[in-house]
């Protein structure tokens, strides 16, 4: 990869602006970001705003009103609902004074130690050992999964490390472990929650039902529902896509860390021929 600051972080900072590096580039348009990169950035901004709240994140929702450009970005955070047991935050994402995205975070009082908790024995995703790594040089195997060529920088190629339990990018339900290759901001690694948000936006690609070379299946939103706080560097995704003629398409992902499931992610998809 080329040398410089861009190698060490997904975004740089200039004043109150976040500057995307080439490692945030998305799969559908070389001029636009992968949704996972701004999702991680917005999640980090939410966390910084609520550092002393004593609450836990229950839901994160992201809507990108148009493709997020490879241009300086500005984030604004507003406290919408304030309470001891429930709080809600709203974030706006803007470029050159125009709102291009928004996000919401719902925080709730965590389950206390004295509350009886039922164990549901939810299955863990298979471990990374023996998984197949999707390397930067192998991007051309993905082919039109972003119009990238082997060696090109992008969020899926150089921003994230992936270890597949199933055949990479083949149609149908699939499972993959992933983690960031670099910091979110210079000297600032992603938090476990930001890693989950970054990885969750890959669900429509990981669990794609249609081949990349013939179809577009772009997500119009991303919603995460969490059952506990995530831990560690690695995020596992077990993803599938549900489609019906005349209805919307939905990508559904079960999200894991290395100790078990942490929640689910949902993406509403726009599906069409290329």
């Amino acid at each position: 990869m080329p040398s410089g600051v861009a190698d060490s972080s997904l975004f740089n900072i200039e004043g109150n602006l976040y500057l995307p590096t080439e490692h945030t580039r998305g799969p559908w348009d070389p001029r636009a970001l992968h949704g996972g990169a701004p999702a991680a950035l917005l999640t980090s901004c939410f966390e910084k705003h609520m550092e002393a709240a004593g609450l836990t994140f229950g839901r994160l929702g992201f809507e990108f009103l148009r493709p997020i450009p490879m241009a300086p970005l500005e984030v604004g955070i507003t406290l919408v609902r304030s309470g001891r047991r429930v709080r809600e935050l709203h974030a706006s994402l803007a470029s050159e004074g125009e709102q291009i995205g928004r996000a919401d975070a719902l925080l709730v009082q965590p389950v206390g130690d004295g509350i009886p908790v039922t164990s549901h024995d939810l299955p863990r995703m298979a471990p990374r050992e023996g998984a197949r790594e999707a390397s930067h040089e192998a991007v051309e195997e993905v082919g039109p999964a972003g119009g990238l060529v082997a060696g090109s920088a992008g969020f899926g190629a150089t921003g994230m490390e992936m270890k597949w339990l199933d055949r990479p990018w083949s149609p149908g339900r699939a499972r993959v472990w992933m983690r960031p290759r670099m910091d979110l901001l210079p000297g600032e690694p992603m938090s476990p929650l930001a890693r989950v948000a970054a990885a969750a936006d890959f669900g429509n690609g990981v669990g794609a039902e249609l081949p990349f070379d013939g179809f577009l299946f772009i997500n119009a939103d991303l919603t995460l529902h969490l059952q506990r706080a995530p831990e560690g560097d690695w995020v596992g995704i077990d993803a599938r896509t549900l489609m019906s003629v005349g209805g919307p398409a939905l990508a559904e992902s079960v999200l894991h860390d290395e100790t078990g499931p942490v929640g689910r992610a949902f993406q509403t998809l726009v599906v069409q021929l290329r």
Side-chain angles (χ1 to χ4, degrees), residues 22-240:
E22 60 183 346
H23 307 295
T24 63
R25 198 179 309 277
W28 307 112
D29 185 339
R31 300 164 298 179
L33 274 62
H34 188 290
L41 177 64
L42 291 164
T43 298
S44 177
C45 292
F46 282 143
E47 290 181 294
K48 292 173 183 176
H49 200 83
M50 298 299 288
E51 281 180 347
L55 303 178
T56 187
F57 284 85
R59 187 191 72 227
L60 291 167
F62 307 91
E63 295 181 31
F64 302 124
L65 308 179
R66 64 178 179 85
I68 308 301
M70 295 287 293
L73 304 173
E74 187 172 3
V75 176
I77 304 290
T78 305
L79 181 62
V80 177
R81 180 180 179 185
S82 178
R84 292 185 298 107
R85 292 176 292 187
V86 180
R87 293 191 186 184
E88 186 173 357
L89 295 170
H90 177 78
S92 63
L93 184 66
S95 180
E96 297 182 347
E98 179 184 358
Q99 185 179 15
I100 55 175
R102 57 194 177 211
D104 294 283
L106 184 69
L107 298 95
V108 298
Q109 176 179 291
V111 177
D113 292 337
I115 306 297
V117 177
T118 302
S119 174
H120 296 286
D121 296 323
L122 294 173
R124 297 182 182 182
M125 204 163 94
R128 290 178 286 109
E129 289 72 20
R132 177 182 180 183
E133 184 167 0
S135 67
H136 177 216
E137 288 72 21
V139 171
E140 65 180 355
E141 177 184 333
V142 181
L148 297 175
V149 297
S152 295
F155 195 56
T158 55
M160 300 288 282
E161 179 182 0
M162 300 186 189
K163 292 184 178 291
W164 290 78
L165 297 171
D166 302 291
R167 188 176 184 277
W169 309 116
S170 58
R173 179 181 173 183
R175 300 160 300 158
V176 61
W177 287 99
M178 58 179 64
R179 67 176 176 180
R181 294 183 185 271
M182 59 193 66
D183 291 347
L184 178 67
L185 301 169
E188 183 180 318
M190 282 193 205
S191 69
L193 183 61
R195 292 186 191 106
V196 168
D201 198 66
F202 283 90
N204 58 323
V206 171
E209 284 292 329
L210 300 169
F212 285 98
D213 57 349
F215 298 89
L216 299 175
F217 34 92
I218 302 170
N219 61 299
D221 67 352
L222 170 65
T223 304
L224 284 69
H225 289 270
L226 301 164
Q227 65 195 60
R228 64 175 175 84
E231 303 173 1
D233 293 341
W234 288 91
V235 180
I237 297 181
D238 183 347
R240 63 175 180 167

